[in-house]
Amino acid sequence: MSERTPLLHYRLSTSVNEQSGEHQPCLPREAVEQSPAFSRRKSAHHSRPKKLSTFFGVVIPTLLSMFSVVVFLRIGFVVGQCGLYQAIAMFLVAYFIISMTVLSVCAISTNGALDAGGAYYMISRALGPEFGGSLGVMFFLANVCSSALYILGLVEAIVATFGDNPADPAGSLQVLPAGYWWSLLYATGILLLCLLVCLVGAEIYAKASFIIFLVVMLVLATIFISFFAVRPRTILLPAAPPILNADYAVDYTTGTMMSFATVFAVMFNGCTGIMAGSNMSGDLKNPSYSIPRGTITAVIFTFIIYNLLSLMVACSCDRILLQRDYSFLRDINVWNPLVTVGVYSSTMSAAMSNLIGASRILYALARDDLFGTVLSPAKKTSGNGNPWVSVLLSWFLVQLVLFTGKLNTIASIVTIFFLLVYAAVDLACLALEWASAPNFRPTFRYFTWHTCVLGIVGCAVMMFLINSIYASASIAFMLLLLLLIHYLSPTSSWGYISQALIFHQVRKYLLMLDVRKDHVKFWRPQVLLMVSNPRSSVGLITFINDIKKSGLYVLGHVQLGDLDTLPSDPLQCRYDSWLSLVDHLNIKAFVNLTLADSVRHGVQHLLFISGLGGMRPNTLVLGFYDDCTPKDKLTDPALADATVPTQDPEDERPPYHFPALRASIDAKEEGNGENGKVMGPQEYVAVIADAMKMMKNVVLARYFHQFDRASTISSSPGKGALYVDVWPVNLLRPDSSSYVDTCSLFLLQLACVLNMVRAWRHARLRLFLCVEEGRSLRGSEGKLGQLLKELRIKANVYTVPWDQQVAFPSNATRLSDEYLSAVNRLILEQAHPPPAVRFLYLPRPPADTRRYTAYLRQLELLTKDLGPTLLIHGVTPVLTTDL
């Protein structure tokens, strides 16, 4: 039963992840892998044999990668320089750092189905394609260079033992010729042997690794026996201080003075093989089961071996011997050649491990199509699922690196690359933990966000401790790759952890946004713009985006219908089109759609439910109800009323659907009509009255089909060449000339907000004050100027006598057409030069609903041929002179 449980966990995980499109058709298509290669990938995922167990697939590769040559050639160096106490302290610190990363690896690997790619797969699926791709490339290059590093190290060891050494003719067997080209030939031969093993597949690699593992364990056993069995030998060297304490000296191989940091950096290189088992994730029977158990086992075992060796060496060897002969274990062993065999075997295994790890990472990068067709050949696999093209490409790059001959200059940067990847794994786990997503529930629970942070900090400190210049360059290289992938790669359907983190933080701050603490000093427009067909409303949508002043901006749409008579919600398939519109117009807006039996009820729904917490619309914007013929301003073919054709029929994307406009429409409202009238004038005015009852400011926008933001702004490059006219007086009430009521001040505030936008900052506000004969023009202008000064609004005030207009027979209950036409002409006469937009006072609708039609006709006559005009009515105070 224990063997079947992980398999059941795997199947359950995949049923809600990449295979959800197969087993859960009720899920939305956005949750399903939509690439053309999805079905092929899915079938290959099942057909590829996964035969490696925990021991062969994780424990052995990780053990051998962590041991490599450090256990044989660097233990004496560390103890001889640092002493036993500091050596144990170094191992504790180093293993503490890598253990934090191991906990993160275990958590992520037990949170669902894990595919090929190891650390790359974990990072990319958690942090998104940008981070995953950039770090995947760096991890691939680190494995390539590390493989070459181990091969060159093996060649140096072979040449030192069997090569021709003129300086020490008696110290070597002198079987092999030495020199750069000979060393390159030996390295090429060793790499070719590694290639043959990796081309056969993961199973033969596991068998070869097991044989090497047995050899290394045998050598380690003889080393421990030698500490007790071999008698002390007299060494003619000067006496040294006690071995327990530190005594840093010059490294005889480099001639540089050692310190705690330099020794720690050398020692830490032997602890960076923790991902060797994770890299084999695509070849494991059950990665979620094997990776945590195998990695932790290997880490604990190597930690014990390193500390036991340090203790034995410190208690049985002389410091001078440790500082002047890094291969001393060979000299004190019961059989000297056995340690040499161990060095060769461990190095060979590490080279193979890095080569096969690099090929798996490259294969995973190719499958994800992050670099387009560049890596397409690397997707090919053999009949048993071995990515042989990726193996060949990795082999070729390792061969190129071997031409350098010496890798001392890049050995540090390889370690830094590994540390950067480890830090990214910790970051991925931290992000998943902080996001508090319900689907992040790993079966491995021995981690917290504290361990993730400690892992990130530890890796970062080690990077800069090893080499601060290389660390900075590596981070810069990662950021460069991140930007490249961000702009070149297609949108992925893996999910973005940034969205989960943003949701978590937004929810927290929304709860802190208390509407009871609102103050007029911090008021800003939060707009609900009703749009029926975006094709005729592009000008208005872009203009309102300018006037929102960092406030909430919601595009609302009402679709007529009754859910009881429909098989499903017709709005769900529309959201993608509207969100694509938001992206296309480059505006900062939300989208809210509703289904209702009338437009009036739909607008009521949206006014009630739009927004969340303290972020709710306080201003309703409607297109004007008139007879203007709409113009289609949405010419982008990507937003056409059709399904975008795709190269692969399986790669279906939701259609972008906005109805085409009729050439002629008897009457429609610019923001609230769809292919003709969807409501009459009575209902339209009722919507205005409803919004005012709900204490919402109301804005009616007319002639904005004539407004083009780009041409308006670009046509006025000089300061002051753009004008915004403001008429803060109720022109439908000739008996009232007040300009300090709530509505007038709201008018001034919106005009000021528009003037504060970067694109409109060079525009000039022109404020028109209507004055009758007998009143002091200068006095009225002075009072208004003082008010503007107190409100910190910069505008030019113009007094306009309107005695002739008021002379027309009108009263508060009935305005004559002659009066309205005269006021309209008055407004037009003041437009020299004509403004980009006008702000007019919008009076309340009459209490008698029978007069709604007449009210609308009055507004139509008042604004006739004025160009882009906003009729504005404010219901709440928005201005203050207080600090």
Side-chain angles (χ1 to χ4, degrees):
M1 184 67 181
S2 60
E3 289 295 321
R4 298 182 63 184
T5 302
L7 182 60
L8 176 61
H9 169 70
Y10 169 78
R11 286 173 177 167
L12 288 175
S13 301
T14 54
S15 68
V16 294
N17 284 293
E18 291 189 346
Q19 298 182 3
S20 57
E22 177 76 13
H23 301 295
Q24 296 189 12
C26 62
L27 290 177
R29 290 292 297 174
E30 293 79 6
V32 184
E33 296 284 353
Q34 297 179 1
S35 66
F38 175 58
S39 59
R40 296 190 297 272
R41 184 182 307 177
K42 187 169 61 177
S43 61
H45 181 72
H46 289 290
S47 62
R48 284 180 57 190
K50 295 187 175 183
K51 300 180 180 179
L52 298 185
S53 63
T54 302
F55 184 71
F56 287 97
V58 182
V59 176
I60 291 179
T62 307
L63 277 175
L64 294 178
S65 293
M66 296 186 71
F67 277 151
S68 62
V69 296
V70 175
V71 69
F72 299 112
L73 300 180
R74 289 297 179 263
I75 284 293
F77 165 77
V78 173
V79 176
Q81 296 286 348
C82 302
L84 178 62
Y85 297 149
Q86 288 193 15
I88 293 178
M90 284 184 179
F91 282 116
L92 287 172
V93 173
Y95 271 80
F96 175 80
I97 293 174
I98 66 171
S99 295
M100 299 300 101
T101 301
V102 168
L103 295 180
S104 299
V105 170
C106 295
I108 297 177
S109 63
T110 59
N111 189 51
L114 189 64
D115 210 337
Y120 160 71
Y121 190 88
M122 299 178 193
I123 297 170
S124 61
R125 268 49 178 184
L127 298 182
E130 291 88 356
F131 268 102
S134 58
L135 288 165
V137 170
M138 298 181 72
F139 198 29
F140 167 72
L141 294 176
N143 277 273
V144 166
C145 294
S146 186
S147 179
L149 178 66
Y150 286 124
I151 291 175
L152 287 175
L154 177 57
V155 169
E156 290 180 3
I158 293 174
V159 171
T161 304
F162 300 102
D164 184 9
N165 187 2
D168 186 18
S172 62
L173 299 180
Q174 300 183 1
V175 176
L176 300 175
Y180 169 77
W181 292 106
W182 285 108
S183 296
L184 179 61
L185 180 62
Y186 305 148
T188 302
I190 295 171
L191 177 59
L192 190 60
L193 180 60
C194 295
L195 172 65
L196 293 176
V197 173
C198 294
L199 279 177
V200 174
E203 190 173 358
I204 190 66
Y205 160 76
K207 292 179 180 178
S209 297
F210 180 64
I211 295 174
I212 296 174
F213 170 75
L214 293 178
V215 173
V216 172
M217 291 300 103
L218 175 62
V219 175
L220 282 175
T222 61
I223 289 175
F224 280 108
I225 293 173
S226 300
F227 286 121
F228 300 97
V230 177
R231 299 183 63 182
R233 301 172 184 175
T234 302
I235 302 177
L236 299 177
L237 292 172
I243 198 69
L244 297 179
N245 299 317
D247 184 20
Y248 295 103
V250 175
D251 179 13
Y252 74 91
T253 62
T254 61
T256 57
M257 185 66 184
M258 293 291 99
S259 64
F260 182 89
T262 56
V263 174
F264 187 55
V266 172
M267 182 274 299
F268 193 81
N269 287 336
C271 305
T272 56
I274 57 174
M275 291 293 185
S278 301
N279 290 342
M280 302 299 297
S281 58
D283 300 285
L284 299 173
K285 287 181 182 178
N286 192 334
S288 298
Y289 178 87
S290 299
I291 289 176
R293 289 165 175 79
T295 305
I296 291 175
T297 300
V299 168
I300 293 175
F301 184 79
T302 55
F303 178 75
I304 294 173
I305 294 298
Y306 277 139
N307 281 278
L308 283 178
L309 277 176
S310 299
L311 178 63
M312 293 296 182
V313 168
C315 294
S316 61
C317 297
D318 186 82
R319 182 188 297 274
I320 302 300
L321 170 66
L322 302 182
Q323 289 183 346
R324 299 192 178 183
D325 184 8
Y326 296 158
S327 60
F328 75 100
L329 288 176
R330 179 183 59 189
D331 299 328
I332 69 173
N333 199 267
V334 291
W335 187 44
N336 295 0
L338 201 57
V339 174
T340 302
V341 174
V343 172
Y344 294 171
S345 301
S346 61
T347 310
M348 183 76 171
S349 172
M352 278 195 304
S353 175
N354 282 277
L355 178 60
I356 198 169
S359 67
R360 269 40 180 186
I361 297 168
L362 181 61
Y363 173 64
L365 284 167
R367 286 201 321 171
D368 288 337
D369 293 321
L370 296 184
F371 298 92
T373 59
V374 176
L375 297 179
S376 295
K379 299 179 185 179
K380 296 181 180 180
T381 60
S382 61
N384 63 353
N386 187 33
W388 61 273
V389 176
S390 295
V391 173
L392 288 176
L393 290 174
S394 302
W395 163 80
F396 177 73
L397 291 178
V398 174
Q399 183 64 60
L400 289 180
V401 178
L402 288 177
F403 278 99
T404 61
K406 299 289 183 180
L407 281 184
N408 291 337
T409 55
I410 66 170
S412 296
I413 202 168
V414 169
T415 303
I416 289 172
F417 274 18
F418 279 121
L419 286 171
L420 196 57
V421 173
Y422 298 165
V425 173
D426 288 317
L427 179 62
C429 189
L430 176 66
L432 290 169
E433 177 70 8
W434 275 355
S436 301
N439 282 324
F440 182 63
R441 43 179 184 270
T443 56
F444 182 88
R445 294 301 306 168
Y446 300 101
F447 78 99
T448 66
W449 67 268
H450 305 85
T451 62
C452 301
V453 171
L454 288 174
I456 295 171
V457 173
C459 291
V461 170
M462 276 306 307
M463 285 168 54
F464 286 92
L465 186 65
I466 292 172
N467 193 308
S468 59
I469 296 177
Y470 286 170
S472 302
S474 300
I475 294 173
F477 180 57
M478 180 200 70
L479 295 176
L480 181 64
L481 287 172
L482 189 147
L483 292 174
L484 180 68
I485 297 173
H486 176 74
Y487 287 107
L488 295 183
S489 67
T491 302
S492 93
S493 55
W494 306 335
Y496 290 83
I497 190 63
S498 58
Q499 295 298 303
L501 290 171
I502 291 171
F503 177 89
H504 183 72
Q505 293 302 108
V506 167
R507 182 193 64 86
K508 180 174 71 174
Y509 287 113
L510 275 175
L511 291 172
M512 297 171 60
L513 192 60
D514 192 344
V515 294
R516 296 169 295 182
K517 298 179 181 179
D518 283 347
H519 194 277
V520 65
K521 288 190 298 184
F522 308 111
W523 180 91
R524 66 184 69 229
Q526 304 197 80
V527 181
L528 170 62
L529 170 62
M530 297 305 303
V531 179
S532 177
N533 194 331
R535 295 187 180 280
S536 61
S537 306
V538 171
L540 181 57
I541 293 172
T542 55
F543 179 80
I544 298 300
N545 185 65
D546 284 339
I547 212 172
K548 69 180 188 301
K549 186 54 181 174
S550 302
L552 178 67
Y553 184 19
V554 180
L555 298 181
H557 172 74
V558 178
Q559 180 166 332
L560 299 182
D562 185 357
L563 194 59
D564 291 338
T565 63
L566 298 171
S568 62
D569 183 3
L571 300 177
Q572 294 303 316
C573 61
R574 297 287 188 95
Y575 273 99
D576 276 352
S577 299
W578 285 84
L579 294 176
S580 297
L581 172 74
V582 171
D583 296 337
H584 174 66
L585 298 179
N586 193 27
I587 61 175
K588 298 178 180 179
F590 298 96
V591 174
N592 217 338
L593 312 180
T594 189
L595 186 71
D597 58 354
S598 68
V599 174
R600 181 183 182 185
H601 290 161
V603 176
Q604 290 176 357
H605 296 168
L606 294 176
L607 286 174
F608 278 126
I609 68 173
S610 291
L612 198 63
M615 292 188 66
R616 293 185 178 276
N618 55 30
T619 303
L620 174 67
V621 180
L622 302 170
F624 197 77
Y625 191 97
D626 58 15
D627 298 334
C628 292
T629 301
K631 297 179 181 180
D632 192 342
K633 295 293 186 70
L634 206 56
T635 57
D636 190 339
L639 298 168
D641 180 15
T643 303
V644 178
T646 58
Q647 296 180 354
D648 194 309
E650 296 180 4
D651 185 18
E652 295 180 0
R653 291 185 292 175
Y656 296 105
H657 181 82
F658 292 124
L661 298 175
R662 288 169 45 182
S664 176
I665 296 178
D666 294 333
K668 71 175 288 290
E669 60 280 23
E670 181 175 321
N672 296 280
E674 185 171 331
N675 287 345
K677 292 182 179 180
V678 293
M679 64 177 175
Q682 189 80 9
E683 185 180 4
Y684 177 77
V685 179
V687 170
I688 300 173
D690 291 342
M692 294 181 184
K693 290 178 184 177
M694 299 168 69
M695 295 302 294
K696 306 294 183 184
N697 309 302
V698 177
V699 177
L700 306 183
R702 190 176 191 190
Y703 294 122
F704 271 85
H705 62 278
Q706 303 174 3
F707 178 81
D708 183 87
R709 184 180 185 275
S711 61
T712 300
I713 302 301
S714 61
S715 63
S716 306
K719 184 177 180 181
L722 192 65
Y723 293 94
V724 176
D725 287 0
V726 182
W727 295 77
V729 178
N730 186 355
L731 298 175
L732 298 190
R733 290 288 302 273
D735 56 337
S736 172
S737 58
S738 174
Y739 50 84
V740 291
D741 64 357
T742 299
C743 185
S744 298
L745 295 179
F746 184 79
L747 215 73
L748 293 174
Q749 177 76 315
L750 281 191
C752 181
V753 166
L754 179 65
N755 197 211
M756 294 170 68
V757 177
R758 182 184 300 273
W760 292 83
R761 198 165 291 172
H762 63 281
R764 288 186 177 180
L765 298 185
R766 298 190 299 196
L767 190 59
F768 294 95
L769 176 62
C770 297
V771 180
E772 298 181 40
E773 185 180 359
R775 296 184 59 184
S776 172
L777 299 181
R778 186 175 300 275
S780 300
E781 184 177 351
K783 291 180 181 179
L784 184 57
Q786 181 62 30
L787 175 65
L788 294 176
K789 183 178 179 180
E790 293 176 357
L791 296 175
R792 291 91 59 203
I793 297 176
K794 186 178 180 180
N796 296 323
V797 179
Y798 298 89
T799 55
V800 180
W802 68 338
D803 300 86
Q804 295 180 358
Q805 286 74 25
V806 176
F808 286 102
S810 300
N811 53 55
T813 59
R814 184 184 180 279
L815 297 175
S816 65
D817 291 350
E818 292 83 0
Y819 166 77
L820 294 169
S821 299
V823 173
N824 176 261
R825 288 193 300 271
L826 175 67
I827 296 174
L828 287 172
E829 289 169 359
Q830 306 301 318
H832 300 291
V837 63
R838 288 181 173 87
F839 288 56
L840 302 184
Y841 188 115
L842 174 67
R844 279 183 173 273
D848 186 356
T849 58
R850 293 173 297 180
R851 295 176 51 211
Y852 278 1
T853 304
Y855 168 80
L856 186 58
R857 173 170 170 74
Q858 292 169 1
L859 298 180
E860 183 177 0
L861 291 175
L862 178 67
T863 58
K864 183 179 180 181
D865 298 327
L866 291 185
T869 302
L870 295 181
L871 288 160
I872 302 172
H873 185 90
V875 296
T876 56
V878 294
L879 284 171
T880 178
T881 59
D882 297 334
L883 285 177

